[in-house]
Amino acid sequence: FENPETAAPIRKAEANFLRPLEPGTPAQARVSIDKIGESSFVTKYIFESQAGPHFEVALVHAFVSVKTRQKVA
């Protein structure tokens, strides 16, 4: 992300609900890069407590030109 001529907006978002998370329950988020492609990448977020995972989120980011808004590789 050192190139100011390129941006990586979210192109797609997915969420999977696994179990309730009660208010006040301490939880942690694990963040990872799930996939890196030619012109996009996927970040994955897993929110969990001592009871186990509560929900997962995957975000697909596409690399685009700031000027043209067209996909770049």
Side-chain angles (χ1 to χ4, degrees):
F1 296 108
E2 293 180 13
N3 184 348
E5 296 177 5
T6 303
I10 296 170
R11 195 189 99 221
K12 180 180 176 183
E14 265 182 26
N16 293 313
F17 174 78
L18 305 172
R19 73 179 74 198
L21 180 61
E22 299 295 328
T25 302
Q28 295 181 344
R30 288 189 292 141
V31 179
S32 61
I33 303 296
D34 200 44
K35 181 180 176 185
I36 299 175
E38 287 289 322
S39 61
S40 65
F41 65 98
V42 179
T43 55
K44 186 173 183 180
Y45 306 81
I46 300 174
F47 297 84
E48 57 191 357
S49 71
Q50 288 183 341
H54 293 272
F55 44 93
E56 300 174 342
V57 176
L59 301 176
V60 178
H61 298 262
F63 292 110
V64 298
S65 165
V66 171
K67 288 182 182 179
T68 66
R69 300 290 189 208
Q70 298 297 310
K71 179 175 78 169
V72 296

